[in-house]
Amino acid sequence: MTSDHRLDLEQHQKEALEQIAAAPDARALEELRIRFTGRKAPLSDELSRLGTLPPEKRREAGQRANTVKRAINEALDKRVQELRVGGGALAGAEAIDLTFPGTPPRRGHLHPVSLVMRDMEDIFRGLGYDVARGPEVDTDYYSFEALNIPKGHPARDGFDTFFIADQETGEPDFTAETNLVLRPHTSPMQIRVMEQQPPPIKAVFPGKVFRRDSDATHVPMFHQLEGLAVDEGITVADLRGTLEYFARAMFGEERKIRLRPDHFPFTEPSLEVHVSCLVCDGKGCGLCRQSGWIEILGAGMVHPNVLRFGGIDPDRYRGFAFGMGIDRIAMLKYGIDDMRAMFENDVRFVRQF
Ligand code: PHE
């Protein structure tokens, strides 16, 4: 046997100690123990070959090999201790069982109002409508004046508006253009979008609205979805067809709608839209108060004055508009009977939908 086949003991010890010190866990360490001290280990081979050496070299070579073997065993023992201390009784590989089911993180859940708002947006997007959002704090001008509700108009009372007082005087500022209110409906967006783009316009505007009102069916902050379509030759039939399509997409193919006269200063004619009762399908029950119908929204043909305020020529263009309470529709869709439950922030409530 030539010296070429002899193990470089120094190099071997260096490698072994490095690998042992870096062993990440008990299992890796056990593999290293076998590799460096087992029956087939290079060092075992080396020791078993001592007998082939001439006697005068045997002693020295034996001592050197045994020194290396001791160093490796010490390193193994040391690393076992380190892994035990670091990982407790279940050191190394056993400490983390990757197959063990973990604690599931708590996931959030969309509020029923958000779910319904998204459904509505999707339905109207499918009809080619844009979706836009506008300011929740708006001026008297956009909230009333430009919607054909001048100062002193009795319809203003019905909106139970929150006015924002002037910082200095503490009084509301009564200049229509600068007086700020919490918008009591999403209709201001009709004017804002007409100002920004020429017809044809097809857009819906979801968002928060505010009124000074609070009982089982009213809360001071709720949500509306406003719709506006302006083009040449638009008629009530377009309005009816659009809302019928919406009611079926939202509440089921078998739904019917009916229109009843109503009054809003910003539409002429104005309509109240009812959908056949989701529970009794028109026969009469508690939900529809025995009428077979449920009111879901207000609508109408955009008043010529409103088109003019929006910078659109009423002799050439016509439009329809509608506005509905998203919270109310969520209550109908999910059978929720107290509006206040929607805003109590109880996660058990939210998780049901
Ligand atoms: N803005 C009205 C309301 O809040 C609803 C409505 C919108 C009616 C558009 C007609 C047209 O009650």
Side-chain angles (χ1 to χ4, degrees):
M1 184 154 308
T2 68
S3 58
D4 292 346
H5 291 103
R6 302 284 309 271
L7 188 62
D8 179 340
L9 285 171
E10 250 170 62
Q11 182 61 26
H12 185 68
Q13 175 173 340
K14 187 166 167 273
E15 275 172 28
L17 297 198
E18 272 170 17
Q19 289 182 37
I20 289 164
D25 53 43
R27 190 177 301 172
L29 194 60
E30 188 52 29
E31 276 167 20
L32 293 175
R33 180 191 300 285
I34 294 165
R35 180 168 344 141
F36 291 117
T37 67
R39 259 190 314 116
K40 294 186 186 145
L43 199 59
S44 310
D45 203 32
E46 181 75 7
L47 285 165
S48 68
R49 279 196 315 240
L50 286 176
T52 66
L53 293 176
E56 66 277 14
K57 291 202 173 171
R58 208 177 286 163
R59 194 178 132 84
E60 201 224 313
Q63 271 175 0
R64 285 182 55 217
N66 276 320
T67 312
V68 172
K69 192 176 175 179
R70 214 176 302 123
I72 291 177
N73 278 327
E74 275 168 18
L76 285 165
D77 289 347
K78 181 164 163 259
R79 188 67 189 143
V80 167
Q81 290 303 325
E82 284 173 0
L83 288 176
R84 266 203 199 120
V85 172
L90 284 170
E94 297 96 311
I96 301 166
D97 178 353
L98 295 178
T99 64
F100 192 80
T103 315
R106 276 198 174 206
R107 291 184 58 196
H109 189 297
L110 288 176
H111 192 275
V113 170
S114 303
L115 289 171
V116 167
M117 195 187 284
R118 288 180 182 200
D119 286 351
M120 290 178 172
E121 290 173 18
D122 285 348
I123 292 168
F124 284 104
R125 269 200 203 93
L127 289 173
Y129 280 67
D130 293 324
V131 178
R133 279 156 221 269
E136 290 165 5
V137 177
D138 212 334
T139 59
D140 178 295
Y141 175 78
Y142 285 110
S143 305
F144 300 113
E145 205 87 5
L147 289 167
N148 205 31
I149 319 175
K151 221 151 260 120
H153 193 292
R156 288 199 175 212
D157 297 345
F159 284 101
D160 298 310
T161 309
F162 285 107
F163 291 90
I164 295 182
D166 184 279
Q167 290 295 306
E168 270 156 33
T169 66
E171 292 292 318
D173 155 16
F174 288 112
T175 316
E177 285 72 17
T178 51
N179 183 15
L180 294 177
V181 303
L182 297 185
R183 65 173 179 191
H185 54 170
T186 41
S187 300
M189 284 303 289
Q190 291 186 32
I191 305 295
R192 287 182 172 277
V193 79
M194 286 191 274
E195 283 177 347
Q196 276 168 24
Q197 70 172 88
I201 296 169
K202 272 166 87 180
V204 290
F205 317 108
K208 288 186 170 64
V209 299
F210 308 84
R211 293 188 196 177
R212 300 180 49 175
D213 214 347
S214 189
D215 58 38
T217 53
H218 298 89
V219 289
M221 185 283 297
F222 56 104
H223 303 79
Q224 286 188 336
L225 182 114
E226 187 89 8
L228 177 70
V230 182
D231 202 351
E232 289 178 11
I234 284 196
T235 71
V236 177
D238 298 310
L239 172 59
R240 191 194 158 95
T242 303
L243 294 178
E244 193 166 59
Y245 175 86
F246 166 75
R248 291 193 172 146
M250 193 74 209
F251 299 115
E253 271 311 308
E254 62 291 352
R255 295 277 73 75
K256 291 191 273 297
I257 64 164
R258 74 176 188 187
L259 312 181
R260 284 285 178 275
D262 199 344
H263 174 77
F264 301 103
F266 33 92
T267 46
E268 183 59 37
S270 298
L271 302 162
E272 189 178 276
V273 179
H274 298 198
V275 61
S276 54
C277 182
L278 317 174
V279 171
C280 65
D281 202 22
K283 288 183 217 50
C285 69
L287 181 66
C288 59
R289 294 206 213 93
Q290 309 307 326
S291 72
W293 296 91
I294 295 171
E295 188 198 333
I296 54 163
L297 56 85
M301 301 305 287
V302 181
H303 195 288
N305 286 350
V306 173
L307 289 173
R308 258 184 231 113
F309 273 114
I312 290 174
D313 177 4
D315 292 328
R316 179 164 171 206
Y317 292 105
R318 233 147 270 242
F320 65 71
F322 56 86
M324 58 184 126
I326 300 176
D327 318 70
R328 237 181 79 74
I329 290 183
M331 288 170 75
L332 286 175
K333 187 166 165 140
Y334 295 119
I336 301 163
D337 54 15
D338 188 335
M339 175 146 323
R340 289 168 295 197
M342 308 262 263
F343 302 106
E344 275 168 358
N345 281 342
D346 186 332
V347 287
R348 291 168 305 179
F349 169 79
V350 173
R351 268 206 214 109
Q352 296 175 69
F353 307 102

